[in-house]
Amino acid sequence: MLIRIRELHKQYGKKIILDIPDFCLEKGIYWLRGPNGSGKTTLSKIVAGIVPARGDIIIRDQLSLSEHPFKYRRVVNFGEAEPQYPGFLTAADLIRFYAEAKKSAEQQVSELKDAFGIDPFVHQPCGTYSSGMLKRLSLVLAFIGDPALVVLDEPVNALDADAHMVLDQMINRYHKHYNTSFILASHEAITVACDGYLTIKNQTLLMDAS
């Protein structure tokens, strides 16, 4: 089993956003579908350990977000829909930090930088980046380490056709060779082959038939 969500509840003020009593997900590639405002981003960030919520998430049948928060976050990576970083930092600064935190090998970092084509601007301050450059950097960071799960929020936002193709290739490669699972939260069509489809309906998470 990849993850189990137990008694997950999230609300802002009096508005309930998510209420998921019990949900299990096997390893694979999943498209989390739904319109804007349905709770996709909130759920993605909760699963990634970025946004707090009541309840718990257990990954690999052993690491609990509530009981082992640091170990959990080491094996769950996240890519923002519209990434923003401190303008004075460079991509090289951020990659160095992530690589150390995620215990990534230098070869992996080099391959990711080359695949997503960020070498031309890797030493420039993030404040000078276009939205496409920021997105490419965020994807490099999302693949760093040895993640059991990568959660990508609106993964193709701001990507050109070439970068979109690279992303699909990297998802397939990591899933096949490293047993990495993916949750791709998007209201746009996903071009990579998926093992299942998820949706949020009435504040809870469901597995779609197709």
Side-chain angles (χ1 to χ4, degrees):
M1 185 184 300
L2 173 64
I3 60 171
R4 182 177 183 183
I5 299 173
R6 298 191 305 189
E7 299 296 334
L8 184 69
H9 184 87
K10 182 65 178 179
Q11 65 185 75
Y12 294 110
K14 295 183 178 180
K15 183 178 181 180
I16 298 174
I17 307 300
L18 295 167
D19 190 12
I20 306 172
D22 190 65
F23 188 87
C24 296
L25 195 64
E26 300 294 334
K27 296 175 182 177
I29 301 172
Y30 297 92
W31 176 11
L32 174 57
R33 303 185 289 191
N36 290 332
S38 60
K40 299 189 307 298
T41 294
T42 299
L43 178 60
S44 297
K45 289 184 175 182
I46 291 172
V47 170
I50 296 172
V51 169
R54 197 174 73 208
D56 199 10
I57 303 174
I58 301 169
I59 191 162
R60 287 176 169 171
D61 292 321
Q62 55 183 320
L63 293 179
S64 160
L65 177 57
S66 62
E67 296 179 11
H68 316 99
F70 300 111
K71 291 181 179 179
Y72 178 98
R73 292 184 179 96
R74 181 166 284 169
V75 298
V76 180
N77 290 3
F78 179 70
E80 290 272 8
E82 298 178 355
Q84 295 182 345
Y85 305 107
F88 61 89
L89 293 178
T90 67
D93 294 329
L94 290 163
I95 290 170
R96 191 180 306 114
F97 173 78
Y98 272 66
E100 182 177 349
K102 297 283 186 175
K103 301 187 183 301
S104 172
E106 185 175 337
Q107 181 179 350
Q108 182 195 35
V109 171
S110 179
E111 290 175 352
L112 288 170
K113 286 163 56 181
D114 183 63
F116 286 105
I118 71 168
D119 275 325
F121 57 86
V122 73
H123 295 295
Q124 298 175 16
C126 289
T128 66
Y129 294 0
S130 67
S131 58
M133 293 160 73
L134 287 169
K135 190 67 174 186
R136 285 172 182 253
L137 169 59
S138 75
L139 291 172
V140 170
L141 299 177
F143 279 88
I144 281 179
D146 183 24
L149 172 64
V150 176
V151 183
L152 300 178
D153 187 18
E154 300 295 351
V156 301
N157 268 11
L159 290 185
D160 57 28
D162 289 342
H164 190 167
M165 184 181 301
V166 169
L167 174 60
D168 285 0
Q169 292 170 348
M170 295 301 290
I171 290 172
N172 286 323
R173 177 186 172 193
Y174 270 63
H175 181 56
K176 180 179 180 180
H177 295 290
Y178 306 116
N179 205 26
T180 305
S181 294
F182 291 85
I183 295 177
L184 312 173
S186 179
H187 67 278
E188 297 184 19
I190 297 297
T191 53
V192 68
C194 294
D195 297 300
Y197 305 91
L198 309 172
T199 188
I200 298 172
K201 186 175 182 180
N202 297 326
Q203 293 83 46
T204 198
L205 183 61
L206 304 171
M207 181 73 76
D208 270 357
S210 61

